[in-house]
């Protein structure tokens, strides 16, 4: 194979288009393909550093080349595929016989192709017979998804193509740092930026917030965790100043009266005392948002990853609906999906309450439809399981999960309260991890199964716009690794499951089309041939239709066609204020690293740029705590302690400290995060946790304090 392959980046949901061209394999140390940006409406040829360097992982020295089995000596040893798969199947059968099918759990990922995610959900329900499947999208999109479903009756991150943003006059970015998390995205902000209408709400002065310096943009820097109050205040002003699009609200929504009553007490001065955002700023912002055509409101993890994340996202939607934005040409509301297939990953059945096509697993009609496609009786499909955090809390507990299969998550770094997760993994009878590297989670496994990487496989992904795109194979995989579809099929066979498990991604997609047909996320009109021709395919795409680039033009997805305004309110207990001596820990991302860092910490250039976690502190806070830039510090609470160096910067509020979550071991931010969850979405509280920061003596190499 020497032809170039048009494909997309292995990392985030922007899924930048790239061309991979195989190089001569003469030098085994150099990447087997070159990467070039490819023109596409989302990235317009641009890539970020992670995309440019992505090929370095294809032949990285630390890549796994054979299955690993934990031996009697406690160490991992190379094994043959038959040995490894036989061992897994035998152990699973034993656990199932002793403890029942729900003692086997599956943890999936939003980076899996649609085909893998679909087959994983089918494998769990039919080959394992378990209800215990959930995935890392629970940590990512669940609050936004719950809010979208509640308000619109459907959850598609962006209900419009990204290019629509180009014509915007005003864009409100709530808790998202796209300049670092999706760099080519900022090209689509240029219009609003030039029109003086870029507004960024973030407790940190991020690279995205700095984009507001040009023109007359606005950076709003609220107390972390107070976005709900801020949004209630904006809604209050919109109603009080008669900025509501009354005709739209009357014709296209329900629930206005109770919403109006619910925000009556959130006058701007009260909101100012809660959020720290001046009442004048709030009024100015409300007027700007209502000033005419071309307004978009977008949310990211900063407002969603909270115990009240669903309500906060709901308030953002309420604001958008009052202004008449969703479905109106040139305006809109959306949330920025995160992982490569964060959108498709939540549509085809790896969520504990779902079947393919975004169907509900408790809905008898949905069960009957999927059972027909799978060739089983509806009763053969287990009921709903439990969401990710609850699943992990049950590891090794009485009545809980005793064996876990992990596909696409480094959960011992990225889950909340990771010390407790690690204890849970230690209690398991069997941990099986499919990965291309010995991630921190894989290193704890009893069996590690090495798999193909993006440039070595075919499939589809669904980007942040709900557009289905093709992942294409540019090179052959190393001899010892296998495709995950093959692994699932081989395990299903060994578990004597009679349902079909195809290993050709196109055949799996053909089955997914049928399974999704008639569902909310209907893919039945999409096929590989049209995607290969470059046709734009946005779901819902029923057979015989032309797909749906823009949702909500005429109706919302609830039976009455209207959107629901849902009154939400602030729970005082959601974000307790820091006590004297405490700071609010804010977590998030750096440009150079992806997620748990399992991949990007292995890319020399990225690692060199950001080799360690740095705790960002405001100069006034650092001064008070006697901490100088570069000092060693401990960031601690009752759950754990992170040890790292301090970075003193005015980019953060004095009441907060920031840590990226890309690092492991003693630098894992999730040692400090709480596994309390949002009651509606089961999203954990990643973004605001209380901590204390102290300077500690640096140890010399001999372990002596300096
Ligand atoms: N470089 C890089 N890019 C990525 C990823 C990555 O790991 N690295 N991951 C991908 C994935 S899966 C995702 S989900 C997306 C996430 O993309 P983003 O949502 O942009 O990422 P975060 O950095 O998690 O959070 C965004 C901002 O929220 C702010 N924030 C924290 N607490 C609050 C709060 O209480 N209120 C408000 N208003 N803001 C707050 C943080 O300061 C941060 O700047 O990025 C995707 N792209
Ligand atoms: N404190 C804090 N914690 C967070 C967040 C935060 O903002 N703050 N953000 C959360 C969010 S939004 C997310 S999305 C999660 C993500 O966190 P994780 O779920 O840990 O995501 P990754 O680090 O991408 O881990 C993916 C793993 O699967 C492997 N992998 C990649 N592709 C495949 C594949 O196709 N198949 C298989 N089997 N393996 C594959 C990679 O090598 C890697 O080891 O972290 C969450 N955790
Ligand atoms: S922005 Fe996302 S999709 Fe684009 S190159 Fe960077 S990581 Fe890849
Ligand atoms: Mo995410």
């Amino acid at each position: 194979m020497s032809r170039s392959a048009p494909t997309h980046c292995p990392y985030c949901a922007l899924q930048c288009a790239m061309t991979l061209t195989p190089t001569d394999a003469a030098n085994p140390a150099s990447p087997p393909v070159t990467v070039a940006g490819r023109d596409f409406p989302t990235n317009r040829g641009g890539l970020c550093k992670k995309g440019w360097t992505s090929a370095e992982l294809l032949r990285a020295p630390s890549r796994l080349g054979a299955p690993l089995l934990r031996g009697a000596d406690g160490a991992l040893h190379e094994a043959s595929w038959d040995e490894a798969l036989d061992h897994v199947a035998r152990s699973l059968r034993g656990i199932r016989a002793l403890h029942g099918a729900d003692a086997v759990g599956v943890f999936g990922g939003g980076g899996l192709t649609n085909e893998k995610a679909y087959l994983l959900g089918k494998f769990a329900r039919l080959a394992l017979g378990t209800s215990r499947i959930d995935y890392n999208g629970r940590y990512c999109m669940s609050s936004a998804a719950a809010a979208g479903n509640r308000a619109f009756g459907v959850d598609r991150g962006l209900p419009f193509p990204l290019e629509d943003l180009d014509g915007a006059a005003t864009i409100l970015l709530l808790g998202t740092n796209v300049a670092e998390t999706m760099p080519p995205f900022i090209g689509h902000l240029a219009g609003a930026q030039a029109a003086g209408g870029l507004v960024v709400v973030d407790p940190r002065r991020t690279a995205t917030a700095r984009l507001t310096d040009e023109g007359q943009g606005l950076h709003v820097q609220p107390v972390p965790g107070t976005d709900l109050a801020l949004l209630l205040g904006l809604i209050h002003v919109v109603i009080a100043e008669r900025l509501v699009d009354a005709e739209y609200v009357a014709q296209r929504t329900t629930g206005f009266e109770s919403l109006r009553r619910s925000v009556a007490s959130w006058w701007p001065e009260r909101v100012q005392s809660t959020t720290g955002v001046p009442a004048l700023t709030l009024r100015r912002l409300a007027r700007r948002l209502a000033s005419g055509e071309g307004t978009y409101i977008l949310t990211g993890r900063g407002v969603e990853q909270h115990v009240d994340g669903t309500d906060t996202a709901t308030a953002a939607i309420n604001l958008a609906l009052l202004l008449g934005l969703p479905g109106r040409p040139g305006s809109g509301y959306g949330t920025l999906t995160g992982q490569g297939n964060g959108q498709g990953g939540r549509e085809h059945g790896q969520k504990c309450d779902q079947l393919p096509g975004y169907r509900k697993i408790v809905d008898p009609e949905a069960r009957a439809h999927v059972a027909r496609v799978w060739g089983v009786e509806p009763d053969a499909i287990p009921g709903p399981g439990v969401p990710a955090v609850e699943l992990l809390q049950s590891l090794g507990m009485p009545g809980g999960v005793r064996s876990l299969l992990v596909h696409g998550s480094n959960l011992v770094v990225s889950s909340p309260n990771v010390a407790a997760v690690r204890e849970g993994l230690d209690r398991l009878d069997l941990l099986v991890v499919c990965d291309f590297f010995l991630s921190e989670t894989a290193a704890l496994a009893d069996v590690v199964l090495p798999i193909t990487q993006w440039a070595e496989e075919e499939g589809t992904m669904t980007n942040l716009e709900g557009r289905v795109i093709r992942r294409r194979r540019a090179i052959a995989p190393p001899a010892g690794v296998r495709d995950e579809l093959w692994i699932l099929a081989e395990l299903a066979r060994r578990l004597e499951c009679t349902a079909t498990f195809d290993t050709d991604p196109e055949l799996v997609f053909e089955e997914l089309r049928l399974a999704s047909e008639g569902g909310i996320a209907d893919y039945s009109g999409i096929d590989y041939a049209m995607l290969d021709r470059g046709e734009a395919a946005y779901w819902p795409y029923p057979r015989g239709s032309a797909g749906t680039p823009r949702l909500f033009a005429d109706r919302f997805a609830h039976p009455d066609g209207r959107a629901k305004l849902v009154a939400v309110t602030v729970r005082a207990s959601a974000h307790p204020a820091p006590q004297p001596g405490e700071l609010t820990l804010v977590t998030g991302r750096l440009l150079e690293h992806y997620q748990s860092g399992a991949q990007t910490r292995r890319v020399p250039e990225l690692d060199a740029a950001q080799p360690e976690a740095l705790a960002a502190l405001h100069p006034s806070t650092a001064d008070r705590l006697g901490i100088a830039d570069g000092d060693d510090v401990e960031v601690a609470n009752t759950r754990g302690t992170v040890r790292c160096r301090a970075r003193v910067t005015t980019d953060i509020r004095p009441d907060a400290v920031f840590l990226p979550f890309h690092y492991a071991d003693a630098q894992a931010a999730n040692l400090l995060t709480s596994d309390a969850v949002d009651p509606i979405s089961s999203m954990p509280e990643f973004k605001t946790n209380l901590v204390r920061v102290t300077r500690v003596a640096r140890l010399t190499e001999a372990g002596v304090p300096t």
Side-chain angles (χ1 to χ4, degrees):
M1 268 190 287
S2 66
R3 270 188 50 221
S4 295
T7 188
H8 296 263
C9 176
Y11 299 116
C12 85
L14 195 57
Q15 283 295 290
C16 294
M18 50 170 61
T19 304
L20 301 181
T21 307
T23 53
D24 9 351
N27 177 2
S30 73
V33 294
T34 57
V35 176
R38 181 162 64 87
D39 196 36
F40 199 71
T42 50
N43 65 311
R44 295 173 180 149
L47 299 174
C48 79
K49 276 188 197 177
K50 297 186 296 302
W52 285 120
T53 55
S54 53
E56 299 198 10
L57 292 177
L58 290 165
R59 298 293 175 267
S62 54
R63 181 162 184 193
L64 300 172
L68 301 175
L69 263 182
R70 196 166 297 279
D73 61 353
L76 288 167
H77 299 280
E78 289 198 357
S80 74
W81 276 96
D82 274 335
E83 274 175 292
L85 293 172
D86 287 345
H87 176 80
V88 173
R90 199 167 47 242
S91 306
L92 290 177
R93 268 205 301 269
I95 290 164
R96 201 161 62 177
L98 263 175
H99 305 283
D102 273 354
V104 180
V106 178
F107 201 97
L112 303 180
T113 59
N114 288 314
E115 292 77 3
K116 293 184 195 181
Y118 167 80
L119 212 64
L120 188 64
K122 180 178 182 180
F123 174 82
R125 272 60 176 243
L126 298 188
L128 299 173
T130 184
S131 71
R132 294 306 195 252
I133 174 168
D134 211 57
Y135 78 126
N136 66 5
R138 187 66 68 174
Y139 301 158
C140 183
M141 296 312 300
S142 61
S143 289
N149 282 322
R150 188 156 75 160
F152 306 128
V154 62
D155 151 41
R156 199 181 95 188
L158 289 182
F160 49 81
L162 202 52
E163 290 169 286
D164 285 6
L165 292 180
D166 295 341
T170 305
I171 300 179
L172 172 61
L173 295 176
L174 293 161
T176 174
N177 181 16
V178 279
E180 293 203 64
T181 54
M182 300 185 178
F185 188 109
I186 65 174
H188 300 282
L189 301 176
Q193 207 181 349
L198 185 63
V199 184
V200 176
V201 180
D202 197 309
R204 296 189 303 140
R205 188 159 177 72
T206 58
T208 311
R210 280 197 290 274
L211 296 176
T212 65
D213 292 349
E214 294 159 37
Q216 298 299 308
L218 180 64
H219 174 210
V220 178
Q221 216 170 346
V223 174
T226 63
D227 303 270
L228 179 50
L230 184 82
L231 288 160
L232 296 179
L234 285 170
I235 295 172
H236 176 102
V237 175
V238 164
I239 294 176
E241 298 195 5
R242 300 182 191 290
L243 303 171
V244 173
D245 182 337
E247 199 182 307
Y248 178 101
V249 168
Q251 287 174 3
R252 304 212 54 190
T253 72
T254 57
F256 177 71
E257 261 316 301
S258 63
L259 174 68
R260 191 182 58 78
R261 283 194 300 276
S262 73
V263 295
S265 64
W266 288 97
W267 54 88
E269 288 70 20
R270 180 180 175 205
V271 172
Q272 173 176 335
S273 70
T274 307
T275 63
V277 178
L280 196 66
T281 304
L282 215 64
R283 293 200 170 91
R284 210 182 110 203
L285 175 54
R287 288 172 204 148
R288 172 82 204 196
L289 292 170
S291 63
E293 298 302 306
T295 300
Y296 287 85
I297 298 179
L298 302 174
T299 67
R301 303 305 85 77
V303 295
E304 298 163 8
Q305 289 174 322
H306 296 284
V307 289
D308 55 0
T310 306
D311 284 349
T312 305
T314 299
I317 296 175
N318 288 340
L319 176 62
L321 287 168
L322 292 185
L323 297 170
L325 309 180
R328 176 192 287 171
S331 304
Y333 167 85
T335 174
L336 302 177
T337 295
Q339 297 181 84
N341 196 26
Q343 182 69 53
R346 64 190 195 260
E347 298 164 2
H348 301 300
Q350 53 174 338
K351 210 170 168 185
C352 70
D353 54 354
Q354 273 179 14
L355 289 174
Y358 223 126
R359 289 184 154 90
K360 289 198 170 70
I361 203 165
V362 291
D363 170 11
E365 259 180 62
R367 297 172 64 83
H369 173 86
V370 174
R372 257 195 314 279
V373 175
W374 287 354
V376 298
E377 290 300 317
D379 287 351
I381 302 175
V386 297
V389 172
E390 202 180 320
L391 181 73
L392 296 184
Q393 285 166 341
S394 84
L395 299 183
M397 302 302 274
V401 160
R402 306 198 63 92
S403 161
L404 189 69
L405 311 185
V406 180
H407 292 260
S409 178
N410 188 8
L411 54 84
V412 81
V413 175
S414 55
S415 300
N417 195 6
V418 282
V421 171
R422 179 177 281 259
E423 285 170 20
L425 293 177
D426 287 343
R427 286 191 298 266
L428 287 176
D429 298 335
L430 178 75
L431 175 64
V432 183
V433 176
C434 278
D435 209 311
F436 11 84
F437 294 111
L438 198 64
S439 70
E440 285 75 16
T441 308
L444 300 173
D446 302 292
V447 184
V448 184
L449 303 175
I451 54 168
T452 50
Q453 287 193 46
W454 101 111
E456 301 154 355
E457 62 190 25
E458 299 280 338
T460 60
M461 307 282 276
T462 305
N463 78 359
L464 77 173
E465 310 168 288
R467 177 174 176 172
V468 184
I469 54 179
R470 280 275 277 121
R471 169 177 282 194
R472 288 192 192 80
R473 174 173 159 138
I475 47 162
V481 312
R482 293 288 182 275
D483 183 279
E484 241 162 331
L485 299 177
W486 179 86
I487 293 173
L488 294 175
E490 284 296 308
L491 283 175
R493 186 170 63 76
R494 285 171 168 80
L495 292 167
E496 284 155 21
C497 177
T498 52
T500 308
F501 285 88
D502 278 312
T503 56
D504 174 348
E506 188 166 5
L507 291 179
V508 177
F509 189 82
E510 287 299 310
E511 188 183 310
L512 181 163
R513 289 176 67 184
L514 297 176
S516 74
E517 188 158 17
I520 291 176
D522 188 331
Y523 281 39
S524 61
I526 306 173
D527 61 40
Y528 272 31
M530 63 185 271
L531 297 178
D532 287 339
R533 285 193 301 271
E535 284 177 38
Y538 296 84
W539 72 257
Y541 205 125
R543 204 179 290 278
S545 77
T548 318
R550 291 174 188 81
L551 289 165
F552 313 146
D554 313 312
R555 64 187 319 275
F556 294 96
H558 288 303
D560 64 1
R562 291 170 179 242
K564 287 194 177 111
L565 293 161
V566 181
V568 291
T569 190
V570 172
R571 269 184 286 135
S573 59
H575 299 278
Q579 296 301 302
E582 285 181 330
L583 295 172
T584 299
L585 170 69
V586 169
T587 68
R589 294 162 162 82
L590 305 173
L591 170 56
E592 290 83 357
H593 284 301
Y594 191 65
Q595 316 275 55
S596 71
Q599 291 161 271
T600 48
R601 283 186 275 120
R602 290 180 163 84
V603 177
E605 185 185 331
L606 301 176
D607 180 56
Q610 297 286 358
E612 59 180 326
L614 295 174
L617 287 168
H618 191 271
S620 65
T621 313
D623 229 32
R624 185 163 50 78
L625 297 173
I627 295 168
D629 193 67
D631 277 354
D632 282 9
V633 293
E634 278 183 359
V635 185
N637 60 19
T638 51
R639 286 176 290 275
T641 302
V642 165
R643 202 176 161 132
C644 63
R645 289 196 297 160
R647 183 159 167 261
V648 178
T649 165
T650 52
D651 290 346
I652 185 151
R653 293 175 52 99
D655 54 3
V657 48
F658 174 79
L659 273 177
F661 78 101
H662 308 300
Y663 301 90
D665 305 321
Q667 296 197 343
N670 282 318
L671 288 165
L672 303 165
T673 52
S674 160
D675 51 12
V677 297
D678 179 297
I680 302 166
S681 65
S682 301
M683 168 70 82
E685 180 61 61
F686 281 129
K687 285 291 190 268
T688 59
N689 287 272
L690 298 178
V691 294
R692 289 173 191 274
V693 182
T694 45
R695 180 179 179 276
V696 293
R698 181 163 311 165
L699 301 181
T700 63
E701 276 184 18
V704 183
T706 56

